[in-house]
Amino acid sequence: MLPLHGTILLVGPPGTGKTSLAKGLASETAAVFNKSGFRLIEIDPHALGSAMMGKTQKAVSDLFSQTIAEAAMAGPVIVLLDEVETLAADRSKLSLQANPIDVHRATDAVLVQLDALAETHNNLLFIATSNFPQAVDSAFTSRCDLVLEIPLPNRVACEQILVDCLKGLAQTYKPIGDLATGAKFAATVDDLVGLDGRAIRKMVASALTMRKEVAVDPMLLTDSDLAAAAKAAKAVRGAKGEER
Ligand SMILES: Nc1ncnc2c1ncn2[C@@H]1O[C@H](COP(=O)(O)OP(=O)(O)OP(=O)(O)O)[C@@H](O)[C@H]1O
Ligand SMILES: [Mg+2]
């Protein structure tokens, strides 16, 4: 009655937590099912061979019709298809550098296999991610039951990511925990708006290396170090934005 394919697609800019969310969703779902019967299969699309070498189509067909189908027969399965644009490339935008026929076949194979699996296995969930939704074939997107956009974090989320990061560090270097209530904290968070979660965590890493004394003893990290690193990270992102 309902044309469900058991497929969720998470799309959004790099570093916004799509892969982490997909993995988290997989383990949360696992907790609902009987754990012993549950299986998570993570697909590295790059390991399936190069479309240009004409290998991908067979690798995709074997993966879906053998590995995944066999796992689904044994119990509930979640399949993580990270960077799905490499598997289900938009056939209407194929460049002439890649071998268009082989890429075409690989995408076709994904679509055919998705249809076949959806028909025979109702205990199978695909979670796909992409930061190039425009590069994903529209026939794949159309098969997704849910397309979720994962945007850049808003100010509250930026603050939470930074606090979480500082708390984690404070487990080893206690004084770092106090920086979340420092005088410059709010201004630092303001500068983080526009960065993705990965960039925020990397900003903290770079704050720890900007002064030699701090690199030697992370307990010497100050809120000025964090503020300076946040400004630098924002400037880099701003410059990239202007390049586009
Ligand atoms: N909203 C968030 N909250 C907490 N941490 C985050 C968030 N977004 C990203 N991160 C952190 O950033 C890092 C990168 O996340 P992840 O690999 O899931 O991003 P992604 O969206 O899959 O990126 P890409 O598109 O480049 O593959 C992880 O260490 C993750 O913990
Ligand atoms: Mg990812």
Side-chain angles (χ1 to χ4, degrees):
M1 220 185 308
L2 294 174
L4 292 177
H5 278 80
T7 304
I8 296 173
L9 175 61
L10 307 180
V11 296
T16 46
K18 299 179 296 298
T19 301
S20 314
L21 260 180
K23 288 187 178 172
L25 186 60
S27 54
E28 289 284 313
T29 314
V32 177
F33 286 104
N34 171 5
K35 275 186 187 156
S36 58
F38 174 88
R39 214 174 141 195
L40 171 66
I41 301 177
E42 292 183 42
I43 309 295
D44 173 6
H46 304 287
L48 291 175
S50 157
M52 282 186 268
M53 307 288 285
K55 283 188 202 150
T56 310
Q57 181 198 6
K58 180 163 184 337
V60 168
S61 295
D62 289 353
L63 174 79
F64 281 72
S65 63
Q66 293 170 23
T67 316
I68 297 177
E70 275 166 25
M73 274 189 270
V77 178
I78 290 189
V79 182
L80 185 57
L81 290 174
D82 222 1
E83 299 175 26
V84 74
E85 71 278 357
T86 50
L87 268 190
D90 187 342
R91 292 162 296 177
S92 68
K93 290 190 190 140
L94 295 178
S95 85
L96 291 173
Q97 279 98 347
N99 185 335
I101 295 171
D102 286 334
V103 180
H104 220 287
R105 285 186 181 143
T107 301
D108 286 343
V110 171
L111 300 175
V112 168
Q113 296 295 340
L114 265 185
D115 286 343
L117 286 172
E119 210 157 285
T120 37
H121 302 285
N122 57 9
N123 55 358
L124 184 56
L125 175 66
F126 286 94
I127 306 179
T129 76
S130 177
N131 46 33
F132 296 110
Q134 66 286 5
V136 179
D137 194 85
S138 55
F140 177 84
T141 317
S142 145
R143 280 164 174 75
C144 294
D145 306 323
L146 182 65
V147 179
L148 271 181
E149 275 205 42
I150 313 297
L152 289 172
N154 61 18
R155 193 185 183 284
V156 174
C158 288
E159 178 170 349
Q160 282 173 353
I161 296 168
L162 180 57
V163 167
D164 182 66
C165 209
L166 295 175
K167 272 193 189 156
L169 285 167
Q171 288 182 1
T172 315
Y173 309 107
K174 208 162 172 292
I176 291 183
D178 300 335
L179 299 180
T181 51
K184 295 188 176 151
F185 187 72
T188 302
V189 173
D190 287 342
D191 276 333
L192 297 179
V193 178
L195 298 182
D196 58 79
R198 181 187 287 133
I200 295 172
R201 291 185 187 273
K202 283 193 185 290
M203 178 284 286
V204 177
S206 94
L208 286 164
T209 57
M210 279 184 356
R211 283 191 298 130
K212 217 183 337 174
E213 308 86 88
V214 180
V216 174
D217 180 4
M219 291 206 237
L220 299 178
L221 186 74
T222 64
D223 58 358
S224 299
D225 294 325
L226 270 186
K231 283 229 174 313
K234 191 63 181 282
V236 169
R237 187 55 55 97
K240 282 208 176 129
E242 278 161 24
E243 269 170 31
R244 273 185 218 129

